[in-house]
């Protein structure tokens, strides 16, 4: 509603897999609107929509407020949606004294309705407007701002600015660290964080940023191994998310056919199976010699209503427990997705695509393990924190991390906006990861992704580290060569200091190869 666009247009553009249900969705919307009217209540979008409607339909009220508000100030204008901008224009129609404050280079919330053109086309709507550029920066060093200025200059739609640092140079250029693989990336980040702590930069003054939540999988495991306490600013920890627990529960029953929590979790995902039915089914399996054989029996007496749903569940169990797949966790995750769980995500979560991306990342991570047992043993690290008893990763409790007095921050770039740290690590700075391929489907999305990159690097006050793995293993166990992000390669090599993690690499060789790492 806050984008002021018809439902059918939004469905076609953002949720094409629901296009055949457009009629039913519009019907639900109509019933919802009627329900609100009969109960004389409004939701947050209604407060804006009805305000605009009031000003458009009641001239005497519009005139009253247009006269009353002689001066209007709007902060964070780059984050406003179309409806909010129209309301400001309606209120300012008489006096036209509008002052908006914002940074077009930090407009990064189009996915939730923010309209970049509000700030970009403001001078067109108010031809007499004067523009004042606030280019003095009190946060970052000249080296970090130099990289930020050059990077954002690649956007066509912008108000050109050149940020100038008040801080003196500390002689530390943004570090670009190509790592041999994901494990080396995680090990480097954890080691360097500990070095910085010894040098006086506390964990509270350090952050690790990433484009997508699943990019933090390996790092969370590495931090846990090293007892480095951390908080996840971008939501719950990766392995504590509902969709991750769902899929891991299937793997747990393969390794332990009497895992009560895991069985009940996956059973309750079957349509028409509730708590009572799930309890009865598990009780019948708990003491069976072979739970899988019992479930597959045609005369199994606790089969729920909806025979087809149960049959689909049994067939999935058969596929993931065959000799070919039993010790291939990545293949098992792929089968779980393609045999119903992807559809479950689409039907139950608004952000289904992001959750699916998480699970594909989990499958890629699982591909390096030779057995499901080994994979789950590694994940068990995350269910045991210092000074605490082990807790099941399929349970509903969120595991709190480490000591409370000093915590490292892990966060997505979107969640980091407005924050700052002395040292910032931006991981997975690789093509295909940042910018996000999913986000590039939208018009002008590359420019928004570059603005997101700009926000990421300008969170750093003194030290900025950009890391990416040169090689990754996909969930088909194929080795894939990674390139640095286009946002790195479009900047001159002189803006970076390239670090080599190979112990015996000669300095002269690094200088000669510097261009290769970047362009």
């Amino acid at each position: 509603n806050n984008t002021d666009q018809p439902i059918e247009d939004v469905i076609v553009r953002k949720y094409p897999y629901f296009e055949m249900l457009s009629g039913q969705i519009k019907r639900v919307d109509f019933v919802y609107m009627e329900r609100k009217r009969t109960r004389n209540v409004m939701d947050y979008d209604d407060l804006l929509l009805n305000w605009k409607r009031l000003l458009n339909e009641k001239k005497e009220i519009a005139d009253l407020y247009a006269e009353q508000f002689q001066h209007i100030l709007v902060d964070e204008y780059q984050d406003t949606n179309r409806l909010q901008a129209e309301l400001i224009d309606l209120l300012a129609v008489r006096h036209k004294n509008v002052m908006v404050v914002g940074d077009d280079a930090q407009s990064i919330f189009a996915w939730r309705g923010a309209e970049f053109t509000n700030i970009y086309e403001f001078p067109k709507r108010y031809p007499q407007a004067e523009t004042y550029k606030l280019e003095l920066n009190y946060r970052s060093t000249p080296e970090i701002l130099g990289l930020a200025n050059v990077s954002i200059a690649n956007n066509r739609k912008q108000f050109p600015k050149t940020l100038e640092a008040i801080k003196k140079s500390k002689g530390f250029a943004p570090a670009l660290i190509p790592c041999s693989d994901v494990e080396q990336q995680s090990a480097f980040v954890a080691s360097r964080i500990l070095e910085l702590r010894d040098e006086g930069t506390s964990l509270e003054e350090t952050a690790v940023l990433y484009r997508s939540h699943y990019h933090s999988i390996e790092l969370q495991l590495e931090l846990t191994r090293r007892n480095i306490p951390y908080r996840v600013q971008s939501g719950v920890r990766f392995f504590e998310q509902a969709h991750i627990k769902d899929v891991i529960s299937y793997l747990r029953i393969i390794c332990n056919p009497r895992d009560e929590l895991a069985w009940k979790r996956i059973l309750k995902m079957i349509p028409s199976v509730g708590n009572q039915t799930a309890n009865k089914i598990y009780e019948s399996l708990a003491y069976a010699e072979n739970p899988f054989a019992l479930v597959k029996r045609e005369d199994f007496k606790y089969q729920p209503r909806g025979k087809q749903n149960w049959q689909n569940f049994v067939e999935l169990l058969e596929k993931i427990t065959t000799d070919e797949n039993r010790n291939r966790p990545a293949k098992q995750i792929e089968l779980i997705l393609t045999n119903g769980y992807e559809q479950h995500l689409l039907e139950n979560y608004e952000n289904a695509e992001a959750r699916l991306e998480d699970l594909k990342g989990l499958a890629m991570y699982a591909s390096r393990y030779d057995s499901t047992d080994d994979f789950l043993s590694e994940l068990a690290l995350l269910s045991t924190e210092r000074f605490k008893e082990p807790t099941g990763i399929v349970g509903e409790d969120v595991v709190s991390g480490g000591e409370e007095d000093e915590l490292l921050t892990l966060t997505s770039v979107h969640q980091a906006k407005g924050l700052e740290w002395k040292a910032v690590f931006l991981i997975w700075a690789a093509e295909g990861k940042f910018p996000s391929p999913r986000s590039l489907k939208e018009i002008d999305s590359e420019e928004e992704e570059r603005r997101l990159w700009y926000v990421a690097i300008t969170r750093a006050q003194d030290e900025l580290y950009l890391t990416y793995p040169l090689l990754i293993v996909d969930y088909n166990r194929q080795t894939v060569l990674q390139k640095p992000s286009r946002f790195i390669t479009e900047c001159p090599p002189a803006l970076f200091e390239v670090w080599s993690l190979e112990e015996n690499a000669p300095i002269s060789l690094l200088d000669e190869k510097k261009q290769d790492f970047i362009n």
Side-chain angles (χ1 to χ4, degrees):
N1 280 338
N2 62 30
T3 60
D4 212 13
Q5 295 176 355
I7 285 178
E8 52 268 32
D9 290 357
V10 174
I11 292 172
V12 169
R13 200 175 76 257
K14 295 205 166 183
Y15 309 100
Y17 38 82
F18 286 142
E19 190 172 357
M20 74 291 293
L21 299 174
S22 293
Q24 291 96 314
I25 293 171
K26 288 179 71 175
R27 171 67 184 162
V28 170
D29 181 61
F30 174 78
V31 171
Y32 175 57
M33 294 295 183
E34 284 300 308
R35 183 74 58 87
K36 287 186 291 184
R37 267 192 286 273
T38 58
R39 284 161 173 69
N40 197 29
V41 295
M42 289 191 282
D43 60 27
Y44 284 111
D45 279 347
D46 291 332
L47 295 176
L48 297 177
L49 287 163
N50 290 330
W51 183 6
K52 178 187 171 186
R53 184 177 160 203
L54 180 69
L55 296 178
N56 281 329
E57 295 178 5
K58 303 288 184 180
K59 186 176 183 303
E60 66 279 11
I61 295 176
D63 289 344
L64 173 70
Y65 286 113
E67 181 61 39
Q68 178 177 338
F69 296 113
Q70 298 179 30
H71 301 273
I72 299 173
L73 167 63
V74 187
D75 196 12
E76 298 290 356
Y77 192 67
Q78 78 280 346
D79 294 334
T80 55
N81 58 46
R82 182 179 300 174
L83 193 51
Q84 290 167 327
E86 288 174 351
L87 283 167
I88 297 301
D89 293 346
L90 286 168
L91 290 175
V93 69
R94 179 73 52 85
H95 301 289
K96 296 196 181 300
N97 291 325
V98 181
M99 177 181 178
V100 299
V101 181
D103 184 356
D104 58 294
Q106 296 192 51
S107 179
I108 59 172
F109 292 114
W111 53 275
R112 71 179 191 197
E115 181 60 57
F116 173 72
T117 57
N118 286 353
I119 190 166
Y120 182 60
E121 296 181 356
F122 186 82
K124 289 184 183 176
R125 299 206 312 280
Y126 295 87
Q128 261 112 49
E130 293 185 42
T131 302
Y132 296 89
K133 297 181 181 180
L134 307 177
E135 296 177 302
L136 289 181
N137 181 286
Y138 292 83
R139 173 184 295 155
S140 304
T141 62
E143 291 84 359
I144 293 171
L145 293 183
L147 177 60
N149 287 332
V150 170
S151 181
I152 199 64
N154 287 283
N155 273 7
R156 292 180 301 105
K157 295 182 178 179
Q158 64 167 308
F159 297 111
K161 296 179 291 297
T162 302
L163 298 184
E164 295 180 29
I166 296 297
K167 278 185 175 180
K168 300 293 183 186
S169 170
K170 296 181 183 291
F172 186 90
L176 177 63
I177 304 100
C179 306
S180 59
D181 53 27
V182 184
E183 284 78 14
Q184 190 181 54
Q185 176 179 248
S186 300
F188 164 75
V189 171
S191 297
R192 184 62 187 146
I193 285 169
L194 292 176
E195 288 173 3
L196 288 170
R197 192 184 187 195
D198 289 341
E199 293 166 9
T201 302
S202 71
L203 295 183
E204 290 289 343
E205 297 172 308
T206 307
V208 180
L209 275 57
Y210 37 80
R211 174 61 184 84
S212 300
H213 200 22
Y214 76 91
H215 293 167
S216 67
I217 299 176
E218 296 84 3
L219 182 60
Q220 289 193 40
L221 286 166
E222 185 68 22
L223 295 173
T224 303
R225 282 191 205 100
R226 298 189 185 218
N227 288 330
I228 300 175
Y230 65 92
R231 70 170 67 86
V232 181
Q233 191 104 340
S234 50
V236 298
R237 296 180 175 207
F238 184 83
F239 293 101
E240 291 162 6
Q241 299 175 100
H243 54 293
I244 303 296
K245 288 182 178 179
D246 288 346
V247 171
I248 288 174
S249 294
Y250 279 98
L251 306 192
R252 288 179 67 95
I253 66 166
I254 296 171
C255 297
N256 176 12
R258 290 179 172 76
D259 188 322
E260 180 178 359
L261 284 175
W263 269 110
K264 288 181 178 178
R265 189 177 189 103
I266 62 175
L267 286 168
K268 285 188 284 187
M269 284 190 281
I270 303 171
S272 78
V273 174
N275 286 327
Q276 191 172 358
T277 305
N279 288 337
K280 285 181 180 178
I281 293 173
Y282 177 73
E283 285 167 9
S284 70
L285 301 178
Y287 301 104
E289 185 176 341
N290 186 337
F292 288 115
L294 180 60
V295 165
K296 294 172 186 176
R297 285 175 51 172
E298 289 188 13
D299 61 346
F300 180 57
K301 66 178 180 179
Y302 292 113
Q303 286 187 35
R305 297 189 309 275
K307 291 280 180 75
Q308 188 57 52
N309 292 324
W310 179 254
Q311 189 58 40
N312 292 342
F313 172 71
V314 171
E315 287 174 4
L316 173 57
L317 293 183
E318 288 177 342
K319 288 177 183 177
I320 62 178
T321 54
T322 61
D323 290 340
E324 180 187 1
N325 297 324
R326 179 171 284 276
N327 283 312
R328 298 176 62 194
K331 183 64 177 177
Q332 289 165 341
I333 293 170
E334 183 187 340
L335 287 168
I336 293 163
L337 286 174
T338 56
N339 285 268
Y341 194 74
E342 184 172 347
Q343 186 61 34
H344 173 80
L345 289 176
L346 293 173
E347 292 173 0
N348 289 279
Y349 296 106
E350 184 179 340
N351 61 341
E353 286 188 13
R355 291 175 186 260
L356 183 59
E357 194 176 62
D358 283 347
L359 291 167
K360 288 180 177 178
L362 180 68
M364 281 180 60
Y365 178 73
S367 65
R368 72 195 68 186
Y369 293 93
D370 294 325
S371 74
T372 306
D373 263 331
D374 290 347
F375 175 56
L376 292 178
S377 296
E378 184 77 0
L379 299 194
L381 272 174
L382 289 180
S383 66
T384 309
E385 297 290 345
R386 283 187 296 172
F387 317 119
K388 295 189 177 180
E389 293 297 318
T391 55
I393 203 160
V394 296
E396 295 300 326
D397 294 332
V398 173
V399 181
S400 59
E403 298 173 351
E404 296 299 322
D405 57 340
E406 187 184 344
L407 298 174
L408 171 71
T409 297
L410 307 188
T411 177
S412 69
V413 183
H414 282 103
Q415 290 285 337
K417 186 171 178 285
L419 303 175
E420 59 185 45
W421 295 270
K422 280 190 176 179
V424 168
F425 294 79
L426 180 56
I427 60 174
W428 283 101
E431 192 64 17
K433 304 294 182 184
F434 201 152
S436 162
R438 184 164 52 90
S439 297
L440 289 178
K441 296 174 185 175
E442 301 286 326
I443 298 172
D444 290 332
S445 56
E446 182 176 320
E447 296 215 344
E448 171 134 346
E449 286 289 301
R450 189 176 285 107
R451 293 193 291 269
L452 189 61
W453 175 269
Y454 174 87
V455 167
I457 60 183
T458 54
R459 299 309 92 199
Q461 295 174 321
D462 299 331
E463 299 186 29
L464 174 65
Y465 301 87
L466 308 173
T467 72
Y468 69 96
L470 291 165
L471 297 173
I472 62 169
V473 178
D474 64 16
Y475 54 84
N476 293 318
R477 305 198 81 165
Q478 301 294 313
T479 301
V480 179
L481 183 64
Q482 292 260 122
K483 292 197 244 176
S485 167
R486 68 188 68 178
F487 302 143
I488 291 174
T489 59
E490 68 191 10
C491 294
L495 294 174
F496 302 94
E497 180 181 332
V498 180
W499 289 24
S500 173
L501 301 184
E502 303 305 319
E503 291 181 6
N504 299 319
I507 298 300
S508 59
L509 180 62
L510 292 179
D511 291 339
E512 291 167 13
K513 294 286 186 182
K514 185 172 183 179
Q515 177 72 26
D516 295 344
F517 280 118
I518 300 178
N519 282 315

